[in-house]
């Protein structure tokens, strides 16, 4: 999907500074709104701020030009970003129980959950000294996100961050084997909520394998499944419309089990055809809930979850809907972006 160039927005800060990470290959661009001198987003909670950022009449993937949207477009669109870019605006938490809050964003708008982003934010908070951490041991970073409070446990050794474990909001299964017609045939889709709503389907049911060569077909199938489920009751959340509707479609392959539990490879197609380069943190939580309901995972057992690029998360089912996902996050750079008011491309474009 292509968009025309966005005009220069007078509301943009003179300079937008970011710190970039990747978690298992998926980018995450961090903007500390207070440090950047950006105006606060109205709302008493992160969920309310997310609704404000989405804008009146909008949804998580259909923004209506709320506050921060020009900055989001500047950072995700070319020539400063790309269609696969992901990021977050650091905002105040709901209360003193969390270190900070975050509004997640991507090329199509804002989202209510992001496991890989939570892991990147945990590493960033510790690496920058925002949250104290030992040279050897663990530090817990509590983060308020639109779907609730999550925790990133940052693992340290010899003064460096070696990994992050993300504990998600509770995951729950809402539907099994929902028949969905696609251009590749009928898919039987499972639906689970894990901070956002995910539809899961075995790639083989559509005659596909999770490989880079198959990405065009996987992406098309993901978009078709998401569209077909737009009004399915199992995709709606009882607490908030913001948490409702399919956010991502997880297409997965079975691999030989490990001694610790199942082993799968997946590609998650989210928003409007965006591909997660990581195994998808919140999507992994959804997969864990489904596998537990199938009796394939018990409390304390693991899912080895690979991405389409070969990176790995380890997901653990703890019971009662509680999941943990462990991976690695690395800093990739820091940036100072600006816009020349005479630049006809303005905040950019998407191809």
């Amino acid at each position: 999907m292509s968009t025309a160039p966005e005009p220069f927005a007078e509301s943009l800060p003179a300079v937008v500074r970011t710190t970039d990470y990747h978690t298992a290959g998926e980018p995450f661009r961090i903007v500390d709104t207070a440090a950047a001198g950006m105006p606060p987003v109205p709302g008493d909670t992160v969920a309310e701020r997310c609704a404000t950022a989405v804008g009146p009449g909008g949804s998580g993937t259909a923004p209506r030009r709320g506050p921060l949207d020009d900055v989001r477009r500047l950072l995700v669109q070319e020539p400063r970003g790309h269609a696969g870019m992901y990021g977050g605006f650091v905002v105040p938490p709901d209360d003193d129980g969390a270190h900070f809050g975050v509004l997640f964003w991507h090329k199509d708008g804002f989202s209510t959950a992001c496991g890989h982003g939570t892991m990147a934010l945990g590493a960033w908070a510790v690496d920058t000294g925002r949250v104290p951490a030992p040279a050897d041991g663990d530090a817990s970073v509590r983060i308020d996100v639109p779907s609730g409070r999550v925790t990133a446990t940052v693992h340290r050794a010899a003064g460096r961050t070696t990994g992050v474990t993300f504990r998600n909001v509770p995951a729950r299964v809402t539907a099994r084997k929902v028949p969905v017609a696609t251009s590749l045939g009928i898919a039987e889709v499972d639906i689970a909520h894990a901070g956002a709503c995910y539809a899961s389907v075995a790639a083989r049911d559509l005659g596909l394998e999770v490989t880079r060569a198959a990405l065009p077909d996987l992406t098309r199938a993901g978009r078709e499944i998401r569209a077909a489920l737009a009004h399915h009751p199992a995709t709606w959340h009882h607490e908030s419309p913001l948490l409702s509707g399919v956010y991502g479609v997880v297409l997965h392959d079975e691999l030989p089990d490990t001694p610790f539990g199942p082993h799968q490879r997946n590609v998650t197609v989210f928003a409007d055809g965006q591909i997660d380069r990581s195994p998808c943190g919140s999507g992994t939580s959804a997969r864990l809930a489904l596998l537990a309901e199938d009796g394939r995972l018990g409390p304390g057992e693991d899912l080895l979850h690979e991405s389409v690029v070969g990176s790995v998360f380890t997901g653990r089912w703890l019971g009662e809907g509680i999941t943990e996902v462990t991976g690695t996050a690395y800093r990739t750079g820091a940036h100072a972006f600006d816009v020349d008011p005479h630049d006809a491309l303005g905040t950019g474009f998407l191809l």
Side-chain angles (χ1 to χ4, degrees):
M1 180 179 181
S2 299
T3 64
E6 295 288 341
F8 174 73
E10 294 182 357
S11 61
L12 284 170
V15 178
V16 179
R17 300 185 184 277
T18 74
T19 305
D20 287 20
Y21 276 71
H22 84 84
T23 306
E26 178 73 355
F28 195 76
R29 181 162 280 174
I30 300 167
V31 183
D32 187 337
T33 58
M38 296 167 63
V41 182
D44 293 330
T45 66
V46 171
E48 290 179 4
R49 294 186 185 97
C50 183
T52 301
V54 167
S59 66
T61 55
R64 293 292 184 269
R65 295 285 189 163
L68 299 180
D69 204 53
D70 284 321
V71 180
R72 177 191 67 81
R73 292 169 184 267
L74 177 80
L75 298 176
V76 76
Q77 297 187 142
E78 296 185 52
R80 299 166 189 84
H82 53 81
M85 180 56 67
Y86 212 112
F89 295 121
V90 175
V91 297
D94 292 356
D95 56 48
D96 292 341
H99 292 99
F100 52 87
V102 63
L103 304 179
F104 298 117
W105 48 261
H106 47 76
K107 74 177 179 68
D108 295 310
F110 293 84
S111 58
T112 58
C114 178
H116 92 271
T118 299
M119 288 187 264
L121 286 161
W124 167 79
V126 166
D127 294 346
T128 59
R130 184 173 185 136
V131 175
D136 295 280
D138 295 339
S140 291
V141 181
R142 297 176 299 279
I143 306 170
D144 283 333
V145 307
S147 55
R149 181 163 293 169
V150 297
T151 302
T153 300
V154 182
H155 310 298
R156 306 269 292 170
R160 59 181 288 274
T161 296
T162 59
V164 185
T165 296
F166 152 62
R167 178 171 286 198
N168 200 2
V169 299
R172 61 190 180 91
V173 177
T174 55
R176 303 303 297 260
K177 298 186 181 302
V178 177
V180 174
T182 77
S183 58
L184 296 171
I186 301 295
E188 288 192 336
V189 179
D190 298 325
I191 300 171
H193 291 255
C197 179
Y198 290 89
S200 288
V201 60
R204 68 172 181 271
D205 289 352
L206 297 174
L208 300 174
E209 292 184 2
V210 178
T211 64
R212 297 190 195 193
L215 278 176
D217 287 337
L218 292 162
T219 303
R220 183 172 79 252
R223 294 178 73 177
E224 290 174 353
I225 291 167
R226 182 172 178 266
L229 293 172
H231 302 292
H232 196 283
T235 70
W236 296 97
H237 197 281
H238 64 285
E239 292 182 358
S240 169
L242 197 66
L243 299 172
S244 299
V246 175
Y247 172 65
V249 177
V250 184
L251 298 112
H252 56 88
D253 283 342
E254 291 287 346
L255 300 174
D257 286 358
T258 74
F260 308 101
H263 183 188
Q264 296 182 341
R265 180 183 299 115
N266 91 90
V267 63
T268 299
V269 181
F270 65 95
D272 186 21
Q274 194 167 339
I275 295 295
D276 198 327
R277 277 75 173 162
S278 81
C280 188
S282 300
T284 298
S285 289
R287 292 295 307 142
L288 290 167
L290 290 163
L291 288 167
E293 188 175 87
D294 287 339
R296 296 187 59 193
L297 274 178
E301 294 182 332
D302 294 344
L303 164 67
L304 187 63
H305 217 198
E306 293 187 19
S307 75
V308 71
V309 303
S311 56
V312 176
F313 285 160
T314 300
R316 175 162 292 186
W317 175 254
L318 300 179
E320 303 299 325
I322 304 303
T323 62
E324 289 184 341
V325 182
T326 300
T328 55
Y330 296 98
R331 177 179 158 124
T332 60
H335 306 275
F337 293 105
D338 55 27
V339 179
D340 188 320
H342 303 288
D343 183 354
L345 290 181
T347 55
F349 58 90
L350 288 173
L351 291 179

